Amino acid sequence: MLLLVVFAVMILTPLYLLLLTSFKDPASFNQATAWFLPQDWSVDGWVKAWDRLAPAVARSLLLATVASVVSSLLGSLNGYVFAKWPFPGSHVVFVLFLFGMFIPYQAIMIPLQALMLSVQSSAPWFEGIVVLILVHTVYGIPICSLIFRNYYATAVPTEIIEAARVDGAGAFRTYLRVVLPVSIPAFVVALIWQFTSAWNDFLFALFLTTPNNGPVTYALQALAGGQNPDYPSIMAGVLVASLPTLIVYIALGKYFVSGLMSGSVK
């Protein structure tokens, strides 16, 4: 119990500093008194942070929502085929899918950037969040396929699939009518995982976008730059950028745990 309290204090201490600093007057902020309560509470830092980050927050919401939904749907279809409709060489294909999870992003960043730039030369609209949606969808497919393959292999009885075959249902109809309705726990896990990954990404944003058309992480880095940092605005910006993923975990956290457990045992 004592150890849990110690860990909780360690985790919450930076949050305490973030909150205090964000409500201090930017003009009179002093690092020597950073741990003390503000003498004059101010929301100027929040106003400035929101003015700078609001467009990027909207772009990140679009990015994280579309990328997580599309990659989860594609991963669900892949997992269903690998688990319940195996084909010759399916094991090899599945291993190749998983191989994509272990390639460091840093190793492919330069050639990926060159590829995206060559595409943009003939399609100028293909930039910013559009590029990141494609990249996060593609790189999210391996982990989503693994999540759904394990879930379908352990939590969906093969007898149900065979019964649907006897009734004349094909693979896709069986997926829509039988498998998809019972896939909510796995979808919750995949959506939370992908939403968080896309929202928190900075490396892809750094190479493939600019602060003017990139996600909130890139805009936050621009807000924190400069030789005279505005700490109240920066701390407020950090909290603004953290709220969506925090809300997602609070709302779906218990389903996330149950979804992981649903696909862990048979």
Side-chain angles (χ1 to χ4, degrees), residues 105-130:
Y105 291 159
Q106 294 84 350
I108 52 89
M109 202 55 61
I110 300 300
L112 178 62
Q113 183 188 45
L115 175 62
M116 295 299 105
L117 289 176
S118 65
V119 174
Q120 290 170 10
S121 63
S122 57
W125 56 268
F126 188 72
E127 63 177 5
I129 292 301
V130 178

Side-chain angles (χ1 to χ4, degrees), residues 154-166:
T154 57
V156 178
T158 303
E159 291 77 10
I160 297 179
I161 308 298
E162 294 175 350
R165 290 181 183 178
V166 172

Side-chain angles (χ1 to χ4, degrees), residues 177-203:
R177 297 293 184 86
V178 178
V179 177
L180 188 60
V182 299
S183 302
I184 293 178
F187 267 102
V188 171
V189 174
L191 287 171
I192 291 179
W193 184 282
Q194 283 302 101
F195 186 94
T196 305
S197 176
W199 183 274
N200 291 334
D201 169 65
F202 178 72
L203 184 63

Side-chain angles (χ1 to χ4, degrees), residues 59-69 133 194-196 198-199:
R59 292 193 294 266
S60 282
L61 283 174
L62 176 64
L63 162 65
T65 301
V66 175
S68 60
V69 170
I133 288 176
Q194 283 302 101
F195 186 94
T196 305
W199 183 274

Side-chain angles (χ1 to χ4, degrees), residues 34-55:
W35 293 94
F36 302 148
L37 290 173
Q39 295 181 350
D40 297 316
W41 293 80
S42 173
V43 294
D44 291 345
W46 285 87
V47 172
K48 181 179 178 180
W50 179 250
D51 289 342
R52 293 280 299 274
L53 299 181

Side-chain angles (χ1 to χ4, degrees), residues 19-243:
L19 284 171
L20 285 187
T21 306
S22 67
F23 286 105
K24 292 184 177 181
D25 184 6
S28 59
F29 174 77
N30 187 349
Q31 294 191 41
T33 60
W35 293 94
F36 302 148
L37 290 173
Q39 295 181 350
D40 297 316
W41 293 80
S42 173
V43 294
D44 291 345
W46 285 87
V47 172
K48 181 179 178 180
W50 179 250
D51 289 342
R52 293 280 299 274
L53 299 181
V57 169
R59 292 193 294 266
S60 282
L61 283 174
L62 176 64
L63 162 65
T65 301
V66 175
S68 60
V69 170
V70 175
S71 60
S72 295
L73 285 173
L74 294 177
S76 174
L77 289 169
N78 290 337
Y80 166 64
V81 171
F82 288 133
K84 299 303 182 183
W85 292 80
F87 54 89
S90 60
H91 178 70
V92 176
V93 175
F94 182 63
V95 171
L96 292 177
F97 264 93
L98 297 186
F99 182 71
M101 296 170 52
F102 300 100
I103 300 177
Y105 291 159
Q106 294 84 350
I108 52 89
M109 202 55 61
I110 300 300
L112 178 62
Q113 183 188 45
L115 175 62
M116 295 299 105
L117 289 176
S118 65
V119 174
Q120 290 170 10
S121 63
S122 57
W125 56 268
F126 188 72
E127 63 177 5
I129 292 301
V130 178
V131 175
L132 293 184
I133 288 176
L134 175 63
V135 170
H136 279 285
T137 298
V138 171
Y139 279 93
I141 290 176
I143 182 62
C144 289
S145 299
L146 176 63
I147 291 172
F148 281 101
R149 187 263 180 192
N150 290 345
Y151 178 78
Y152 292 145
T154 57
V156 178
T158 303
E159 291 77 10
I160 297 179
I161 308 298
E162 294 175 350
R165 290 181 183 178
V166 172
D167 290 338
F172 191 66
R173 186 178 180 184
T174 301
Y175 171 78
L176 289 178
R177 297 293 184 86
V178 178
V179 177
L180 188 60
V182 299
S183 302
I184 293 178
F187 267 102
V188 171
V189 174
L191 287 171
I192 291 179
W193 184 282
Q194 283 302 101
F195 186 94
T196 305
S197 176
W199 183 274
N200 291 334
D201 169 65
F202 178 72
L203 184 63
F204 281 125
L206 181 63
F207 277 83
L208 303 178
T209 65
T210 68
N212 294 326
N213 63 11
V216 68
T217 50
Y218 204 169
L220 183 62
Q221 188 270 342
L223 176 64
Q227 296 185 358
N228 296 308
D230 184 350
Y231 286 104
S233 299
I234 295 172
M235 300 305 178
V238 170
L239 292 171
V240 168
S242 304
L243 280 178

